[in-house]
Amino acid sequence: MVAMNIFRLLGDACHLLSFVVMFWKLFTSKSVAGISLKTQEIYVIVFCFRYLDLFWNFLSIYNWVMKIIFIVSSVSIVCVIRFGKPHKDTYNKEDDAFPYLYLIVPAALLGIAVNQEHDSPFEMCWAFSIYLEAVAILPQLFMLQKQGGAESLTSHYILLLGLYRLFYLLNWVYRYATEEHYMQLIVWISGIVQTALYLDFFYTYVSAKRERIDAPIELDAA
């Protein structure tokens, strides 16, 4: 069992808060404007493939509950965007135009070719999920760029996702410094790539929120 540390806990807290903010937006505004369905569908793929071991690999109650929350929350968000009323009528398919098969297919091929155990289908699925999560936010960022920004709750959601990955980076650094033989190159490299994708958004977010926390994010429209 992996020992917990403050960075892992903060990362998980940010991830959970991102779901809270997303559901708050969905059920208070009755709108999915500015939300990328493609990013949300990618997250469903990520968590379903990563947690295939849900029913046979029990590490702890905490770990098991988190897996359930991630899967159920991600599927629920997609269902609301696709089938919710009046939510589905506010979805902008034209702006959510990133060709996400260009992310899914290479991640799948990479998961098959580069993983920790080449004779294990589960390890291939796990590696695929790690590679795919690294680029899952790209359709959302592309949509923001195309629309010229994001309203406040959407920006908070994206920030929390970015902080989740940042804290996990610190978690890996901490574990490398305190645990013998800790080495996960696939996770590290993918996590660095994922966090790097958020850096420009972090800067834009901080600049926009200097005057008030509910200020929208403004970007140069594509």
Side-chain angles (χ1 to χ4, degrees), residues 14-84:
C14 287
H15 203 174
L16 291 174
L17 281 172
S18 74
F19 286 123
V20 172
V21 169
M22 173 60 77
F23 285 120
W24 181 263
K25 170 185 168 59
L26 295 179
F27 291 105
T28 57
S29 69
K30 304 296 182 183
S31 169
V32 298
I35 300 299
S36 168
L37 173 62
K38 291 184 175 181
T39 282
Q40 300 305 321
E41 288 177 336
I42 288 176
Y43 278 127
V44 170
I45 295 171
V46 165
F47 296 129
C48 286
F49 273 79
R50 183 173 304 168
Y51 301 139
L52 288 172
D53 65 344
L54 183 64
F55 298 107
W56 74 79
N57 185 19
F58 185 84
L59 297 177
S60 68
I61 289 292
Y62 177 88
N63 181 269
W64 189 84
V65 169
M66 293 295 277
K67 289 178 180 181
I68 293 293
I69 290 174
F70 294 157
I71 293 173
V72 171
S73 297
S74 298
V75 171
S76 298
I77 292 168
V78 168
C79 288
V80 170
I81 297 174
R82 281 192 169 275
F83 309 114

Side-chain angles (χ1 to χ4, degrees), residues 73-120:
S73 297
S74 298
V75 171
S76 298
I77 292 168
V78 168
C79 288
V80 170
I81 297 174
R82 281 192 169 275
F83 309 114
K85 294 183 179 181
H87 302 83
K88 65 179 182 178
D89 297 326
T90 64
Y91 170 61
N92 191 326
K93 186 176 181 179
E94 291 184 0
D95 286 345
D96 194 16
F98 191 95
Y100 67 164
L101 285 179
Y102 289 170
L103 304 177
I104 296 172
V105 173
L109 295 175
L110 198 56
I112 294 170
V114 184
N115 57 75
Q116 296 181 354
E117 295 180 27
H118 289 86
D119 60 346
S120 170

Side-chain angles (χ1 to χ4, degrees), residues 133-174:
E133 187 184 13
V135 293
I137 199 64
L138 281 176
Q140 180 66 69
L141 296 178
F142 178 84
M143 189 176 190
L144 261 59
Q145 192 72 44
K146 195 166 184 180
Q147 293 183 333
E151 51 81 38
S152 187
L153 284 176
T154 303
S155 69
H156 295 334
Y157 168 75
I158 298 171
L159 175 76
L160 286 166
L161 284 179
L163 289 176
Y164 143 64
R165 295 318 295 176
L166 179 60
F167 281 124
Y168 260 66
L169 272 182
L170 296 174
N171 161 60
W172 300 327
V173 172
Y174 177 83

Side-chain angles (χ1 to χ4, degrees), residues 191-208:
I192 291 170
V193 170
Q194 187 175 0
T195 305
L197 293 176
Y198 285 94
L199 292 180
D200 183 63
F201 179 84
F202 285 160
Y203 175 79
T204 304
Y205 181 94
V206 172
S207 298

